[in-house]
Amino acid sequence: MPIDDLPIVLDRSSEVPLAVQVADALRDAASTGVLRVGDRLSSTRELAIRLGVSRTVTASAYDQLLAEGWLAGRQGSGTFVTAAPAAGSSAVAPSSAGRPADGPPATSMIDLTVGRPCLHVLDKSAWRRAWRAAADRPPSALPSYQGLLEFRQAVVDHLLRHRGLVVSPEQVVATSGTTSGVAELSALLPERAVVAMEEPGYQRAAGAMRAAGLRVVPVPVDREGVRVDALPAGLAALYCSPAHQFPLGVRLSARRRVELVRRARQESFLVFEDDYDGELRYDVAPLPLLAALGPDVVVHLGTASKLLTPTLGVGWVVAPPELTRRLLAARSRAGTRPAPAGQLVFTAFAELGDLGRHLRRLRKELHERREVVLAACRAAGTPVWGDAAGAHVRVPLPSAEAERAVVAAARDAGVVVPALAEYHAGAPLQFGISVGYAEPSRADLATAVAVVAEAAAGWRGPVGH
Ligand SMILES: Cc1ncc(COP(=O)(O)O)c(C=O)c1O
């Protein structure tokens, strides 16, 4: 915030000298992050004029903060904020988003939460290049409800190269990410319609569907993926994650894919195919996308959140034409559309060849990390499932008690790892923990998975599907 906008309010009736009040206000602004390290302050003369005080007052306040180390003066270039906010101040307390509220402080923990991207392999100069290229594009006066054409073309290329799906730019709709895509699509279904959801599954998608007034029914998942034979009649849609089921990690078998599309056609329901990490696969052949098998009934949802970062806010949908038309009409009516900035960055990253390079590096890195996890589990004699794809695996456990004990033992050893219970809407059907291996450093990962594998190894018994 420029210092001209700082709300410095002086109390002229107070016994506290004005110079102290000015210094206090600036110190507060720096310690709460309103002023940031590197921010340039106005000259003492300009500030004195703005506040209606003598220059002696502002000079004395600056002198005080210079002495305390909050500010530094550079010859000829002004006065700058130098001190970072004090550790422990609320404005900079480390975020604990996504962790249990009763968890220990985030800073000391190694986090194996599922669904995080692996930013270690992101080439920072390529990333900056993409942002610069995006900034070079002149702004447009008109909003784009479908998404920028060049972005949709980049998605077309990506889907063709990395997912084997042939579509045209007209079929692609930009989103702010998969979850918001599910929310928008759910709003197009009749209110109170019944939709099926994998159990366990991605509860944010279930939340988005419920928020749209839909009735969400759970469908079990086994080693072949979602149980198509267990789908109830009368569905408006099914949400599933066939490439690497979230959170169990299984891949929907080819047989079930065909059966699912057949039933969707016969019973006229939609299939939401959440392909959140479909680009990541190890030592196994690709399976056909549901969208390739049934473009008339399947809504394919992709995202940059796992490949790059969720902070980009970029995703895409390929849906049957009539649904696409209704989605765009709803956006146009409400005036809502995904922000184009992230689309431009994604496009530039892809067009400059950096997305392809990044994906190659990412696959290699995650493949090696997966080996770290498997080796630790092998050494402890702990079984691992769901390791053929994605960036997380499942360690099966025999009971809820085992699950709680392993999560607690991990936490005591400084490791956050999610229990499968977290991904169930109802009473858990399967027990275990999900181990995300994308986010920590390699060294932390090795330490953390050894802890988890050891803790899980103590629990033997039948482990469900
Ligand atoms: C199963 C699943 N689908 C989709 C997403 C991506 O969501 P978004 O694109 O909204 O960031 C996530 C992110 O955690 C996820 O776990």
XYZ file of all heavy atoms in Angstrom, residues 94-179:
649
model
N 1.994 -19.088 10.197
C 1.940 -20.014 9.084
C 0.533 -20.563 8.891
O -0.162 -20.828 9.857
C 2.901 -21.136 9.497
C 3.193 -20.919 10.933
C 2.851 -19.517 11.276
N 0.165 -20.710 7.633
C -1.181 -21.183 7.349
C -1.334 -22.634 7.756
O -0.446 -23.439 7.575
C -1.433 -21.042 5.857
O -2.443 -21.905 5.464
N -2.475 -22.974 8.296
C -2.730 -24.377 8.611
C -3.892 -24.889 7.768
O -4.507 -25.868 8.102
C -3.045 -24.531 10.097
O -4.222 -23.816 10.373
N -4.163 -24.148 6.640
C -5.302 -24.546 5.810
C -5.192 -26.007 5.416
O -4.132 -26.470 5.038
C -5.330 -23.686 4.554
N -6.297 -26.710 5.494
C -6.302 -28.098 5.059
C -5.875 -29.060 6.139
O -5.942 -30.265 5.958
N -5.424 -28.566 7.270
C -5.033 -29.478 8.332
C -6.120 -29.526 9.393
O -6.870 -28.575 9.561
C -3.743 -28.999 9.002
C -2.597 -29.046 8.059
C -1.320 -28.675 8.768
N -0.251 -28.786 7.824
C 0.066 -27.840 6.956
N -0.594 -26.735 6.947
N 1.039 -28.023 6.107
N -6.163 -30.611 10.147
C -7.140 -30.646 11.215
C -6.910 -29.498 12.184
O -5.754 -29.133 12.455
C -6.862 -31.985 11.901
C -5.895 -32.727 11.055
C -5.301 -31.772 10.081
N -8.022 -28.914 12.692
C -7.891 -27.752 13.555
C -7.078 -28.067 14.806
O -6.448 -27.182 15.375
C -9.277 -27.257 13.931
N -7.095 -29.350 15.199
C -6.380 -29.673 16.423
C -4.947 -30.110 16.135
O -4.239 -30.585 17.009
C -7.120 -30.770 17.194
C -7.284 -32.028 16.353
O -6.985 -31.959 15.147
O -7.684 -33.060 16.902
N -4.508 -29.980 14.905
C -3.146 -30.400 14.556
C -2.117 -29.466 15.156
O -2.433 -28.335 15.506
N -0.885 -29.948 15.284
C 0.166 -29.107 15.814
C 0.576 -28.043 14.812
O 0.118 -28.060 13.673
C 1.299 -30.102 16.074
C 0.970 -31.310 15.292
C -0.456 -31.273 14.917
N 1.417 -27.099 15.196
C 1.760 -25.998 14.297
C 2.321 -26.502 12.979
O 3.093 -27.462 12.954
C 2.842 -25.232 15.071
C 2.806 -25.759 16.454
C 2.108 -27.075 16.445
N 1.898 -25.833 11.904
C 2.256 -26.309 10.577
C 3.748 -26.300 10.321
O 4.262 -27.167 9.639
C 1.565 -25.432 9.551
N 4.445 -25.332 10.856
C 5.842 -25.159 10.486
C 6.693 -26.380 10.789
O 7.599 -26.705 10.047
C 6.440 -23.970 11.255
O 5.960 -24.022 12.572
C 6.086 -22.668 10.587
N 6.396 -27.082 11.868
C 7.269 -28.169 12.275
C 6.853 -29.497 11.651
O 7.501 -30.509 11.877
C 7.230 -28.294 13.798
O 5.898 -28.530 14.171
N 5.771 -29.514 10.899
C 5.227 -30.784 10.415
C 5.637 -31.065 8.966
O 5.757 -30.154 8.167
C 3.696 -30.747 10.479
C 3.123 -30.408 11.828
S 3.486 -31.643 13.079
C 2.386 -32.969 12.601
N 5.792 -32.349 8.677
C 5.945 -32.747 7.269
C 4.554 -33.166 6.795
O 3.904 -33.991 7.432
C 6.927 -33.918 7.117
C 8.276 -33.563 7.742
C 7.085 -34.282 5.647
C 9.264 -34.722 7.770
N 4.119 -32.591 5.685
C 2.727 -32.740 5.277
C 2.583 -33.705 4.098
O 3.106 -33.437 3.014
C 2.193 -31.353 4.901
C 0.685 -31.326 4.897
O 0.075 -32.402 4.788
O 0.119 -30.227 5.009
N 1.883 -34.808 4.332
C 1.648 -35.772 3.245
C 0.202 -35.692 2.740
O -0.345 -36.667 2.232
C 1.962 -37.192 3.734
C 3.385 -37.437 4.237
C 3.562 -38.889 4.693
C 4.427 -37.119 3.167
N -0.427 -34.525 2.930
C -1.801 -34.341 2.456
C -1.881 -34.633 0.955
O -0.997 -34.247 0.192
C -2.255 -32.890 2.744
O -2.303 -32.735 4.160
C -3.629 -32.613 2.172
N -2.945 -35.292 0.581
C -3.140 -35.710 -0.807
C -3.627 -34.529 -1.655
O -4.393 -33.698 -1.171
C -4.195 -36.840 -0.835
C -4.541 -37.243 -2.244
C -3.698 -38.025 -0.041
N -3.180 -34.482 -2.903
C -3.749 -33.492 -3.829
C -2.919 -32.237 -3.998
O -3.327 -31.323 -4.696
N -1.748 -32.200 -3.369
C -0.906 -31.004 -3.542
C -0.046 -31.159 -4.808
O 0.338 -32.275 -5.160
C 0.023 -30.845 -2.338
C -0.716 -30.725 -1.010
C -1.105 -29.275 -0.771
N -2.008 -29.173 0.372
C -1.623 -29.207 1.640
N -0.347 -29.363 1.942
N -2.500 -29.088 2.607
N 0.287 -30.046 -5.449
C 1.178 -30.155 -6.614
C 2.642 -30.307 -6.183
O 2.965 -30.086 -5.013
C 0.972 -28.813 -7.316
C 0.603 -27.866 -6.231
C -0.126 -28.659 -5.174
N 3.491 -30.674 -7.123
C 4.927 -30.811 -6.851
C 5.622 -29.610 -7.497
O 5.948 -29.635 -8.684
C 5.444 -32.115 -7.455
S 7.173 -32.424 -7.085
N 5.833 -28.578 -6.713
C 6.389 -27.346 -7.290
C 7.909 -27.373 -7.370
O 8.514 -26.476 -7.939
C 5.902 -26.138 -6.474
C 4.390 -25.902 -6.610
C 3.892 -24.839 -5.648
C 4.040 -25.521 -8.045
N 8.515 -28.439 -6.822
C 9.984 -28.505 -6.798
C 10.584 -28.515 -8.205
O 11.700 -28.063 -8.395
C 10.447 -29.759 -6.060
C 9.879 -29.866 -4.675
N 10.415 -29.188 -3.607
C 8.804 -30.528 -4.196
C 9.691 -29.449 -2.528
N 8.707 -30.257 -2.858
N 9.852 -29.076 -9.158
C 10.435 -29.214 -10.499
C 10.020 -28.084 -11.447
O 10.354 -28.120 -12.625
C 10.055 -30.579 -11.132
C 10.705 -31.719 -10.395
C 8.550 -30.763 -11.188
N 9.285 -27.120 -10.915
C 8.857 -26.026 -11.789
C 10.058 -25.123 -12.102
O 10.720 -24.634 -11.187
C 7.745 -25.216 -11.108
C 7.139 -24.099 -11.940
C 6.436 -24.661 -13.178
C 6.142 -23.287 -11.121
N 10.318 -24.936 -13.380
C 11.439 -24.096 -13.808
C 11.009 -22.624 -13.635
O 10.162 -22.129 -14.373
C 11.746 -24.430 -15.274
C 12.818 -23.531 -15.862
O 13.185 -22.516 -15.221
O 13.283 -23.838 -16.975
N 11.619 -21.968 -12.656
C 11.175 -20.611 -12.300
C 11.352 -19.633 -13.462
O 10.544 -18.738 -13.657
C 11.942 -20.076 -11.077
C 11.850 -20.941 -9.829
C 10.452 -20.959 -9.241
C 10.352 -21.795 -7.976
N 10.798 -23.191 -8.097
N 12.402 -19.817 -14.253
C 12.580 -18.848 -15.336
C 11.536 -19.085 -16.431
O 11.029 -18.133 -17.039
C 14.003 -18.860 -15.885
O 14.362 -20.161 -16.195
N 11.182 -20.338 -16.648
C 10.115 -20.617 -17.629
C 8.792 -20.043 -17.136
O 7.994 -19.506 -17.914
C 9.982 -22.126 -17.837
N 8.572 -20.152 -15.844
C 7.338 -19.628 -15.240
C 7.261 -18.111 -15.413
O 6.251 -17.557 -15.828
C 7.342 -20.020 -13.753
C 6.083 -19.763 -12.989
C 5.936 -18.975 -11.893
C 4.775 -20.311 -13.243
N 4.644 -18.997 -11.442
C 3.903 -19.801 -12.258
C 4.267 -21.163 -14.221
C 2.555 -20.139 -12.210
C 2.905 -21.493 -14.182
C 2.090 -20.985 -13.179
N 8.389 -17.445 -15.134
C 8.426 -15.980 -15.303
C 8.209 -15.607 -16.768
O 7.513 -14.659 -17.087
C 9.771 -15.426 -14.813
C 9.809 -15.144 -13.317
C 11.001 -14.293 -12.956
N 12.254 -14.977 -13.229
C 12.845 -15.806 -12.373
N 12.314 -16.025 -11.199
N 13.973 -16.402 -12.678
N 8.817 -16.418 -17.650
C 8.672 -16.156 -19.097
C 7.183 -16.199 -19.486
O 6.696 -15.363 -20.224
C 9.463 -17.236 -19.837
C 9.677 -17.001 -21.273
C 10.863 -17.782 -21.843
N 10.804 -19.226 -21.615
C 11.779 -19.918 -21.043
N 12.882 -19.323 -20.637
N 11.675 -21.219 -20.885
N 6.472 -17.169 -18.956
C 5.048 -17.307 -19.294
C 4.257 -16.101 -18.784
O 3.385 -15.571 -19.479
C 4.497 -18.598 -18.703
N 4.586 -15.654 -17.580
C 3.868 -14.484 -17.038
C 4.185 -13.235 -17.843
O 3.315 -12.410 -18.099
C 4.227 -14.277 -15.559
C 3.464 -15.204 -14.663
C 3.819 -16.475 -14.317
C 2.197 -14.960 -14.039
N 2.862 -17.035 -13.500
C 1.855 -16.123 -13.307
C 1.322 -13.886 -14.022
C 0.685 -16.232 -12.575
C 0.138 -13.983 -13.280
C -0.168 -15.151 -12.572
N 5.454 -13.117 -18.258
C 5.821 -11.939 -19.060
C 5.078 -11.965 -20.399
O 4.527 -10.970 -20.848
C 7.330 -11.904 -19.301
C 8.096 -11.138 -18.222
C 9.483 -10.764 -18.718
N 10.246 -11.919 -19.178
C 10.997 -12.680 -18.405
N 11.094 -12.425 -17.128
N 11.668 -13.715 -18.897
N 5.052 -13.144 -21.016
C 4.366 -13.265 -22.317
C 2.884 -12.957 -22.144
O 2.269 -12.294 -22.994
C 4.556 -14.672 -22.883
N 2.317 -13.398 -21.029
C 0.889 -13.128 -20.780
C 0.656 -11.633 -20.618
O -0.343 -11.083 -21.096
C 0.429 -13.882 -19.540
N 1.615 -10.971 -19.971
C 1.453 -9.535 -19.723
C 1.591 -8.727 -21.002
O 1.084 -7.608 -21.099
C 2.488 -9.073 -18.697
N 2.270 -9.289 -21.994
C 2.472 -8.568 -23.250
C 1.182 -8.434 -24.054
O 1.095 -7.632 -24.961
C 3.501 -9.307 -24.132
C 4.910 -8.963 -23.694
O 5.054 -7.974 -22.942
O 5.842 -9.696 -24.070
N 0.226 -9.294 -23.756
C -1.009 -9.245 -24.540
C -1.868 -8.061 -24.122
O -2.143 -7.889 -22.939
C -1.782 -10.542 -24.333
C -2.689 -10.808 -25.497
C -3.494 -12.004 -25.209
N -4.862 -11.577 -25.116
C -5.847 -12.159 -25.763
N -5.584 -13.187 -26.511
N -7.064 -11.733 -25.637
N -2.268 -7.231 -25.063
C -3.083 -6.073 -24.683
C -4.410 -6.526 -24.086
O -4.950 -7.552 -24.504
C -3.311 -5.328 -26.002
C -2.697 -6.143 -27.065
C -2.043 -7.348 -26.503
N -4.938 -5.779 -23.121
C -6.212 -6.189 -22.518
C -7.349 -6.098 -23.525
O -7.283 -5.316 -24.471
C -6.404 -5.196 -21.373
C -5.510 -4.053 -21.688
C -4.404 -4.548 -22.549
N -8.370 -6.920 -23.291
C -9.514 -6.895 -24.190
C -10.667 -6.180 -23.497
O -10.793 -6.228 -22.276
C -9.900 -8.340 -24.517
O -11.205 -8.378 -24.995
N -11.492 -5.521 -24.295
C -12.625 -4.789 -23.706
C -13.800 -5.715 -23.427
O -14.706 -5.371 -22.677
C -13.048 -3.677 -24.655
N -13.791 -6.899 -24.045
C -14.963 -7.777 -23.934
C -14.660 -9.006 -23.071
O -13.592 -9.607 -23.196
C -15.366 -8.261 -25.324
C -15.975 -7.210 -26.235
C -16.275 -7.818 -27.597
C -17.249 -6.637 -25.623
N -15.601 -9.397 -22.219
C -15.386 -10.615 -21.440
C -15.541 -11.844 -22.334
O -16.233 -11.784 -23.349
C -16.515 -10.577 -20.401
C -17.586 -9.759 -21.037
C -16.910 -8.782 -21.951
N -14.876 -12.926 -21.957
C -15.028 -14.156 -22.728
C -15.665 -15.209 -21.836
O -15.068 -15.660 -20.867
C -13.660 -14.635 -23.220
O -13.782 -15.961 -23.665
N -16.884 -15.599 -22.181
C -17.604 -16.559 -21.338
C -17.116 -17.982 -21.549
O -17.191 -18.811 -20.653
C -19.113 -16.450 -21.602
C -19.652 -15.137 -21.076
C -19.997 -14.100 -21.933
C -19.750 -14.921 -19.708
C -20.446 -12.888 -21.434
C -20.191 -13.716 -19.202
C -20.539 -12.707 -20.071
O -20.959 -11.514 -19.572
N -16.601 -18.250 -22.724
C -16.132 -19.615 -22.995
C -14.658 -19.783 -22.639
O -14.187 -20.894 -22.423
C -16.357 -19.949 -24.479
C -16.041 -21.386 -24.809
C -16.659 -21.848 -26.107
O -17.318 -21.072 -26.803
N -16.437 -23.102 -26.453
N -13.942 -18.680 -22.541
C -12.496 -18.744 -22.334
C -11.806 -18.280 -23.596
O -12.371 -18.363 -24.689
N -10.577 -17.791 -23.465
C -9.859 -17.249 -24.615
C -9.596 -18.345 -25.648
O -9.277 -19.482 -25.280
C -8.524 -16.658 -24.152
C -8.635 -15.566 -23.091
C -7.271 -15.228 -22.534
C -9.327 -14.335 -23.677
N -9.721 -17.969 -26.911
C -9.559 -18.969 -27.970
C -8.176 -19.625 -27.906
O -8.047 -20.844 -28.053
C -9.787 -18.312 -29.338
C -9.602 -19.241 -30.530
C -10.554 -20.438 -30.463
C -9.821 -18.472 -31.847
N -7.133 -18.818 -27.675
C -5.787 -19.421 -27.668
C -5.607 -20.371 -26.489
O -4.886 -21.360 -26.566
C -4.689 -18.354 -27.700
C -4.712 -17.375 -26.557
C -5.488 -16.109 -26.889
O -6.656 -16.231 -27.314
O -4.951 -15.012 -26.694
N -6.315 -20.096 -25.386
C -6.267 -21.026 -24.257
C -6.952 -22.337 -24.642
O -6.434 -23.432 -24.400
C -6.954 -20.407 -23.031
C -7.196 -21.397 -21.922
C -6.137 -21.878 -21.155
C -8.474 -21.882 -21.650
C -6.351 -22.809 -20.139
C -8.695 -22.797 -20.645
C -7.636 -23.267 -19.886
N -8.102 -22.215 -25.258
C -8.842 -23.428 -25.627
C -8.044 -24.250 -26.632
O -8.053 -25.479 -26.600
C -10.230 -23.054 -26.153
C -11.102 -22.519 -25.004
C -12.514 -22.236 -25.436
N -12.672 -20.963 -26.096
C -13.121 -20.786 -27.329
N -13.464 -21.817 -28.073
N -13.248 -19.581 -27.836
N -7.291 -23.554 -27.515
C -6.441 -24.278 -28.457
C -5.313 -24.998 -27.706
O -4.974 -26.145 -28.009
C -5.855 -23.297 -29.481
C -5.025 -23.957 -30.564
C -5.819 -24.964 -31.394
O -6.848 -24.635 -31.974
N -5.351 -26.230 -31.421
N -4.766 -24.334 -26.688
C -3.695 -24.966 -25.897
C -4.235 -26.199 -25.169
O -3.553 -27.220 -25.055
C -3.125 -23.961 -24.890
N -5.479 -26.109 -24.706
C -6.091 -27.270 -24.037
C -6.306 -28.402 -25.040
O -6.057 -29.577 -24.742
C -7.424 -26.862 -23.362
C -8.181 -28.085 -22.860
C -7.160 -25.896 -22.211
N -6.757 -28.042 -26.236
C -6.950 -29.058 -27.285
C -5.646 -29.822 -27.521
O -5.615 -31.056 -27.551
C -7.420 -28.378 -28.608
C -7.286 -29.329 -29.788
C -8.858 -27.899 -28.465
N -4.533 -29.083 -27.651
C -3.226 -29.720 -27.888
C -2.836 -30.596 -26.702
O -2.328 -31.703 -26.862
C -2.137 -28.664 -28.107
C -2.383 -27.877 -29.381
O -3.189 -28.338 -30.218
O -1.793 -26.789 -29.523
N -3.071 -30.065 -25.499
C -2.722 -30.809 -24.287
C -3.511 -32.120 -24.211
O -2.950 -33.185 -23.936
C -3.008 -29.929 -23.063
C -2.714 -30.594 -21.769
N -1.432 -30.797 -21.302
C -3.540 -31.126 -20.826
C -1.482 -31.424 -20.139
N -2.750 -31.639 -19.822
N -4.800 -32.036 -24.469
C -5.643 -33.232 -24.378
C -5.233 -34.266 -25.427
O -5.217 -35.466 -25.157
C -7.120 -32.856 -24.558
C -7.762 -32.147 -23.357
C -9.168 -31.653 -23.708
C -7.823 -33.070 -22.142
N -4.871 -33.770 -26.595
C -4.482 -34.693 -27.665
C -3.162 -35.383 -27.311
O -3.033 -36.601 -27.373
C -4.340 -33.921 -28.983
C -3.923 -34.759 -30.187
C -4.977 -35.813 -30.486
C -3.734 -33.864 -31.413
N -2.188 -34.583 -26.891
C -0.852 -35.137 -26.637
C -0.778 -35.987 -25.387
O -0.119 -37.002 -25.352
C 0.135 -33.992 -26.464
C 0.801 -33.672 -27.752
C 2.092 -32.985 -27.516
N 2.039 -31.741 -28.261
C 2.826 -30.737 -28.064
N 3.721 -30.785 -27.113
N 2.751 -29.664 -28.792
N -1.453 -35.528 -24.341
C -1.241 -36.183 -23.047
C -2.406 -37.027 -22.572
O -2.264 -37.797 -21.636
C -0.872 -35.131 -21.989
C 0.374 -34.390 -22.356
N 1.613 -34.994 -22.351
C 0.566 -33.125 -22.778
C 2.517 -34.116 -22.744
N 1.915 -32.981 -23.011
N -3.577 -36.863 -23.206
C -4.726 -37.656 -22.783
C -5.360 -38.413 -23.942
O -6.379 -39.082 -23.761
C -5.783 -36.769 -22.096
C -5.290 -35.976 -20.914
C -4.674 -36.861 -19.816
N -5.630 -37.684 -19.127
C -5.500 -39.013 -18.991
N -4.481 -39.656 -19.528
N -6.384 -39.713 -18.324
N -4.794 -38.251 -25.123
C -5.304 -38.997 -26.279
C -6.747 -38.659 -26.637
O -7.453 -39.485 -27.218
N -7.179 -37.463 -26.297
C -8.567 -37.079 -26.577
C -8.586 -36.063 -27.717
O -7.891 -35.047 -27.652
C -9.204 -36.467 -25.317
C -10.693 -36.135 -25.421
C -11.529 -37.421 -25.548
C -11.163 -35.343 -24.193
N -9.378 -36.349 -28.727
C -9.448 -35.450 -29.882
C -10.690 -34.564 -29.751
O -11.815 -35.064 -29.781
C -9.543 -36.261 -31.198
C -9.536 -35.328 -32.407
C -8.410 -37.270 -31.277
N -10.460 -33.261 -29.563
C -11.591 -32.321 -29.500
C -11.208 -31.058 -30.268
O -10.040 -30.861 -30.612
C -11.954 -31.930 -28.040
C -12.559 -33.096 -27.295
C -10.764 -31.366 -27.287
N -12.193 -30.199 -30.494
C -11.913 -28.927 -31.166
C -12.049 -27.799 -30.134
O -12.686 -27.986 -29.091
C -12.914 -28.717 -32.306
O -14.180 -28.496 -31.738
N -11.470 -26.626 -30.425
C -11.565 -25.513 -29.460
C -13.013 -25.143 -29.130
O -13.306 -24.690 -28.035
C -10.859 -24.362 -30.177
C -9.973 -25.003 -31.185
C -10.634 -26.288 -31.578
N -13.927 -25.366 -30.084
C -15.348 -25.022 -29.828
C -15.933 -25.886 -28.723
O -16.909 -25.510 -28.066
C -16.203 -25.216 -31.096
C -15.907 -24.261 -32.224
C -14.540 -24.499 -32.847
O -14.186 -25.675 -33.088
O -13.802 -23.507 -33.054
N -15.346 -27.064 -28.515
C -15.892 -27.970 -27.497
C -15.341 -27.704 -26.103
O -15.811 -28.276 -25.130
C -15.572 -29.426 -27.874
C -16.283 -29.909 -29.109
C -15.740 -31.273 -29.523
O -14.782 -31.376 -30.274
N -16.340 -32.323 -29.001
N -14.296 -26.859 -26.036
C -13.634 -26.632 -24.745
C -14.197 -25.382 -24.088
O -14.376 -24.354 -24.738
C -12.104 -26.468 -24.949
C -11.411 -26.140 -23.627
C -11.518 -27.727 -25.572
N -14.461 -25.491 -22.783
C -14.893 -24.324 -22.007
C -13.911 -24.138 -20.855
O -13.621 -25.097 -20.125
C -16.317 -24.537 -21.438
C -16.726 -23.358 -20.566
C -17.324 -24.741 -22.564
N -13.405 -22.921 -20.714
C -12.476 -22.649 -19.607
C -13.240 -22.606 -18.291
O -14.397 -22.174 -18.244
C -11.780 -21.312 -19.840
N -12.591 -23.062 -17.218
C -13.175 -22.935 -15.875
C -12.108 -22.339 -14.954
O -10.946 -22.211 -15.335
C -13.586 -24.298 -15.292
O -12.398 -25.080 -15.065
C -14.528 -25.056 -16.202
N -12.526 -22.043 -13.733
C -11.541 -21.597 -12.734
C -10.957 -22.793 -11.995
O -10.278 -22.632 -10.997
C -12.206 -20.686 -11.712
O -12.910 -19.677 -12.342
N -11.253 -23.979 -12.449
C -10.783 -25.199 -11.791
C -11.900 -26.211 -11.789
O -13.067 -25.878 -12.058
N -11.550 -27.447 -11.491
C -12.532 -28.526 -11.583
C -13.687 -28.346 -10.611
O -14.847 -28.563 -10.954
C -11.817 -29.865 -11.322
O -10.955 -30.100 -12.430
C -12.796 -31.009 -11.192
N -13.360 -27.931 -9.391
C -14.409 -27.861 -8.379
C -15.447 -26.809 -8.755
O -16.659 -27.048 -8.635
C -13.792 -27.565 -7.004
O -12.546 -28.268 -6.921
C -14.694 -28.025 -5.893
